[in-house]
Amino acid sequence: MADPATYRPASGSIPESPGVYRFRDPGGRVIYVGKAKSLRQRLNSYFADFAGLHPRTQTMLTTAASVDWTVVGTEVEALQLEYSWIKEFDPRFNVKYRDDKSYPYLAVTMGEDFPRVQVMRGAKRKGTRYFGPYSHAWAIRETVDLLLRVFPVRTCSAGVFKRAGQIGRPCLLGYIDKCSAPCVGRVTPEEHRALAEDFCDFMAGNTGRFMKRLEREMREAAAVEEYERAARLRDDIQALQRALEKQTVVLGDGTDCDVIALAEDPLEAAVQVFYVRGGRIRGQRGWVVDKVEEATPGELVEQFLLQMYGEATIPREILVPARPPDEAALIELLSEQRGSRVDLRVPQRGDKKSLMETVERNAKESLAQHKLRRASDLTTRSRALQEIADALDLDQAPLRIECYDVSHIQGENVVASMVVFEDGLARKSEYRRFSVRTTEGDVASIYEVICRRFKRYLEERAATGELDAETDDAPAHDAAAHDAAHDGAGYDGAGHDADGYEADGYEAVGRGGAATPIDPETGRPRKFAYPPNLVVVDGGPAQAAAAQRALDELGIDDIAVCGLAKRLEEVWLPGDDQPVILPRSSEGLYLLQRVRDEAHRFAITYHRTKRSKSLKESALDHVPGLGPARRQALLRHFGSVKRLREASAEEIREVPGIGRATAEAIVAALRGESPSPAGQGS
């Protein structure tokens, strides 16, 4: 690991001009490429305050052994050179977008003597016109099948085409009029090329003239009583209309644009692009990227545009979710590549804004599906667990991980969540939630929740006889702690846990052959009797220390603890002054992040439920002996709580079922008074 000070260039030797710089490792390999308006200002920022840099940047600097740069004349040249170097050197610390799948295109090989329509994937070929990309190959084939009625272009392979010419007989498509059969000379090469060009014009959005031409020919055929030909033309028009219906109209006629949206988390980002041509969505495409370097949405957009449009066709308008930092230079570069003006816009209202929201939903779904595929891979999960064990110096991989998070708004309705991951997968039947009593902040809340959960763990183990005589010296839990533990258990007695997930824990499950202890009275598993290998808390060193302190006071010394700080994704161990930094591409960090995010989601869900319930509460809810039926009767009688508050005890007694004691208790509750002793005693 290199010291950045050993290769820091002298400040006066760095020019203040725009340029592109490269960091190289000891072997001379380029590991990072960046651009700057002022090379001196940018490079000095890397070496001025190493401790204040982002951990990813620190890793890059300690991996590098040298830095060099190239001065350019303008920011546009800097963008071009940066793109060229990233493509050439493939630096490990630069953001690199990769397709989440290989998308098919509808291709017309205009470079051949007899152009062919086909489905193509992969690199684009010179002399071929492409339409799409499409989500599925079958969507292309359905469209082509409809259009071949009107534009009978060749679709066969070179071998089939050659063989048909040798035997003098076309294939089946030639006999059913879905191919003009140039192989046997039914049309000349010029006539067939004209058909291919008409096919391309229709796919490019110039549909009006073909519809009008067919309608005119149909009317002319009907006028001279050529009804069979008129019927065939009518069917051709319907085929074109069905082909058009398969492409949704989203924007005004003639609108050509690409709509780009992002979905991201601290480790990864997903990009979705909808291709709109002639106001219709012609296709979509997706990318995912590991965020090796820290980047804002605008920077991600800039890097994506450079990589995407380095070789692809550029439309006249590009809709993006955020403006890139060097917008003017990027627009100039894209316009130069296109040969005409390119507009880069962030939609604010109307149809384009609605379409952007649709693309964003697709991006979020793509990111979720990517995470699901990544999480479901057994080899990846095993590697993630081993990386966590190595980073935290655990004796074995943490096969069961519990994560805790606290949620509240300014100290009100404080709740906490406990989520469980076993073998790297969420076990939702084991999730629990807690109503936190302390109001002294997140650190105290974590301490309380860990105490309550593991007091219950000790209680359950004692009930099954698993604790030996030495464990009897562990701190005892009082009745309040017992109630708190049951409050945290979250089981509603109906086969569901606290957040509505079906409780599948009626079977004995465990690790290493150990079954979850069964309660002899209820026949249900003792939910808190199985301990985790690792406790993760959402937070930094203070939260991790609070969790460790709770375990120490309970005499539990065989469960590891760590905290995961969200801002920089740092892993904190109790008592350590410095965090454990896992690589950004680490599967272990990815798993810890998923566990933490799931705990956060579960806590927020409970907090919202509790807050919503508290907003619906009224003073009548706390009147002893006043149930829902009589509360409804009171409100029906008086019409509102305001009129009920103004009523006297005698007026309230007029409601059937309300006695004198209850009436006085209602008056006291609504007016903030204490009920009279006489009223309570009567």
Side-chain angles (χ1 to χ4, degrees):
M1 186 173 290
D3 181 359
T6 60
Y7 63 88
R8 175 178 182 174
S11 180
S13 66
I14 308 174
E16 296 183 356
S17 308
V20 183
Y21 54 92
R22 296 176 292 190
F23 282 91
R24 298 176 182 269
D25 63 13
R29 180 176 179 179
V30 176
I31 62 172
Y32 183 75
V33 173
K35 68 177 187 315
K37 296 179 182 178
S38 171
L39 285 169
R40 178 178 298 180
Q41 183 177 351
R42 175 62 61 83
L43 290 177
N44 282 340
S45 69
Y46 285 107
F47 301 99
D49 180 18
F50 181 82
L53 295 174
H54 194 279
R56 288 188 290 267
T57 308
Q58 292 179 349
T59 304
M60 186 272 289
L61 289 174
T62 54
T63 305
S66 63
V67 60
D68 58 57
W69 56 85
T70 297
V71 176
V72 296
T74 65
E75 294 176 32
V76 175
E77 292 179 18
L79 279 171
Q80 290 175 318
L81 184 57
E82 180 191 33
Y83 167 72
S84 299
W85 279 0
I86 289 175
K87 186 177 179 182
E88 178 182 355
F89 298 114
D90 191 25
R92 57 176 290 202
F93 285 98
N94 281 95
V95 167
K96 292 181 282 292
Y97 291 89
R98 60 189 186 275
D99 282 314
D100 55 4
K101 63 180 75 173
S102 177
Y103 285 87
Y105 285 81
L106 171 57
V108 184
T109 58
M110 299 300 293
E112 298 182 7
D113 293 335
F114 295 95
R116 174 191 176 192
V117 175
Q118 60 180 321
V119 178
M120 279 191 177
R121 298 176 186 264
K124 294 186 178 180
R125 304 174 186 175
K126 187 177 181 181
T128 300
R129 293 207 44 190
Y130 292 88
F131 302 94
Y134 289 78
S135 300
H136 304 282
W138 56 260
I140 302 178
R141 296 188 179 98
E142 284 186 357
T143 301
V144 170
D145 186 62
L146 291 170
L147 295 182
L148 288 179
R149 286 185 55 93
V150 185
F151 310 107
V153 186
R154 167 198 164 203
T155 57
C156 60
S157 66
V160 173
F161 185 85
K162 181 178 179 181
R163 182 174 180 275
Q166 290 173 342
I167 65 176
R169 188 172 66 246
C171 64
L172 177 63
L173 292 178
Y175 283 107
I176 63 176
D177 295 329
K178 286 196 173 182
C179 178
S180 56
C183 54
V184 295
R186 286 186 185 175
V187 295
T188 65
E190 292 76 17
E191 290 171 337
H192 185 267
R193 180 168 293 276
L195 283 173
E197 290 174 350
D198 286 346
F199 181 94
C200 292
D201 284 347
F202 185 88
M203 289 302 301
N206 302 323
T207 60
R209 68 184 180 94
F210 297 106
M211 301 292 288
K212 291 177 181 177
R213 187 190 72 188
L214 292 175
E215 289 172 356
R216 183 181 68 253
E217 292 177 357
M218 180 183 68
R219 287 192 296 268
E220 292 173 353
V224 296
E225 299 183 356
E226 294 183 2
Y227 297 119
E228 291 185 1
R229 180 168 176 267
R232 184 173 60 80
L233 290 169
R234 178 203 61 200
D235 294 342
D236 290 348
I237 293 172
Q238 292 175 350
L240 293 185
Q241 288 173 339
R242 288 198 299 273
L244 289 174
E245 288 170 359
K246 290 180 178 295
Q247 299 166 339
T248 307
V249 177
V250 292
L251 299 175
D253 290 343
T255 301
D256 291 345
C257 67
D258 288 353
V259 188
I260 300 170
L262 288 169
E264 58 175 321
D265 61 25
L267 293 179
E268 294 178 302
V271 181
Q272 281 284 313
V273 181
F274 276 26
Y275 300 92
V276 180
R277 300 294 182 267
R280 299 174 183 272
I281 298 176
R282 301 293 184 180
Q284 70 181 92
R285 192 175 179 183
W287 289 261
V288 290
V289 61
D290 291 323
K291 295 169 66 176
V292 183
E293 58 176 336
E294 184 71 9
T296 64
E299 291 171 338
L300 287 174
V301 167
E302 179 181 284
Q303 294 159 355
F304 175 74
L305 292 177
L306 286 173
Q307 294 184 38
M308 175 180 176
Y309 295 118
E311 298 176 351
T313 303
I314 304 174
R316 60 172 171 252
E317 184 178 12
I318 303 173
L319 304 181
V320 295
R323 296 190 180 278
D326 297 326
E327 181 179 3
L330 185 59
I331 290 176
E332 184 177 345
L333 176 61
L334 294 176
S335 300
E336 180 182 316
Q337 290 179 332
R338 186 176 190 270
S340 61
R341 171 73 180 179
V342 174
D343 292 325
L344 206 61
R345 295 175 179 169
V346 179
Q348 301 295 330
R349 63 185 68 84
D351 293 339
K352 292 181 179 179
K353 175 66 173 177
S354 299
L355 181 57
M356 174 65 76
E357 292 171 351
T358 300
V359 182
E360 184 178 351
R361 286 195 295 271
N362 278 265
K364 291 178 179 178
E365 178 64 21
S366 175
L367 183 61
Q369 291 297 321
H370 169 72
K371 287 178 173 291
L372 185 62
R373 288 192 297 269
R374 187 172 177 178
S376 62
D377 182 71
L378 177 60
T379 303
T380 301
R381 296 203 314 269
S382 300
R383 184 166 66 251
L385 293 172
Q386 191 57 51
E387 286 179 1
I388 294 173
D390 294 341
L392 304 185
D393 197 22
L394 305 180
D395 294 334
Q396 60 181 356
L399 297 180
R400 179 181 170 106
I401 300 174
E402 292 182 3
C403 185
Y404 298 82
D405 186 26
V406 175
S407 180
H408 60 86
I409 294 180
Q410 296 181 344
E412 296 293 329
N413 297 314
V414 184
V415 300
S417 66
M418 177 189 106
V419 302
V420 179
F421 275 56
E422 291 188 351
D423 276 344
L425 294 176
R427 188 170 178 80
K428 293 187 175 182
S429 65
E430 302 281 333
Y431 286 14
R432 294 295 175 266
R433 61 191 191 183
F434 302 81
S435 289
V436 179
R437 296 178 175 83
T438 183
T439 58
E440 300 176 4
D442 289 356
V443 174
S445 298
I446 287 291
Y447 173 80
E448 176 190 328
V449 170
I450 297 297
C451 283
R452 286 163 57 178
R453 185 268 184 265
F454 286 98
K455 282 178 181 177
R456 179 66 181 270
Y457 158 62
L458 295 176
E459 177 191 64
E460 297 284 13
R461 289 193 63 192
T464 59
E466 293 184 22
L467 295 180
D468 54 24
E470 295 179 359
T471 315
D472 292 338
D473 297 331
H477 56 279
D478 53 17
H482 181 275
D483 293 340
H486 282 280
D487 171 62
Y491 185 80
D492 64 5
H496 296 76
D497 75 354
D499 199 31
Y501 293 111
E502 292 190 7
D504 61 356
Y506 290 92
E507 60 187 39
V509 291
R511 292 280 174 241
T516 302
I518 301 297
D519 190 323
E521 297 181 4
T522 65
R524 298 172 182 152
R526 296 182 180 274
K527 292 295 187 178
F528 282 96
Y530 196 75
N533 303 107
L534 175 65
V535 167
V536 181
V537 294
D538 183 9
Q543 286 82 357
Q548 186 64 60
R549 186 171 73 254
L551 293 177
D552 291 343
E553 292 176 0
L554 292 170
I556 299 173
D557 58 4
D558 57 350
I559 297 175
V561 175
C562 74
L564 183 60
K566 193 162 191 175
R567 188 175 70 88
L568 297 178
E569 303 298 332
E570 298 168 331
V571 180
W572 289 90
L573 295 176
D576 286 2
D577 296 331
Q578 297 295 326
V580 176
I581 304 296
L582 292 172
R584 299 300 295 179
S585 58
S586 163
E587 292 295 339
L589 179 59
Y590 177 80
L591 175 58
L592 289 176
Q593 185 209 32
R594 282 202 307 118
V595 173
R596 190 269 319 281
D597 290 348
E598 179 69 354
H600 185 63
R601 179 202 65 80
F602 194 55
I604 286 180
T605 301
Y606 183 33
H607 173 71
R608 288 172 178 166
T609 302
K610 190 172 182 180
R611 187 176 75 244
S612 176
K613 183 179 179 181
S614 68
L615 293 175
K616 296 177 182 177
E617 289 181 347
S618 74
L620 295 176
D621 295 340
H622 305 290
V623 177
L626 189 64
R630 289 200 285 178
R631 285 201 298 269
Q632 290 295 325
L634 284 168
L635 292 175
R636 279 196 302 268
H637 182 83
F638 290 98
S640 67
V641 175
K642 180 180 179 181
R643 292 181 60 185
L644 177 60
R645 186 178 287 111
E646 296 170 351
S648 64
E650 293 301 321
E651 292 173 326
I652 293 175
R653 289 183 61 188
E654 296 175 3
V655 179
I658 304 296
R660 183 159 61 90
T662 303
E664 291 181 355
I666 292 171
V667 170
L670 293 177
R671 299 178 183 176
E673 304 170 354
S674 298
S676 63
Q680 289 186 9
S682 59

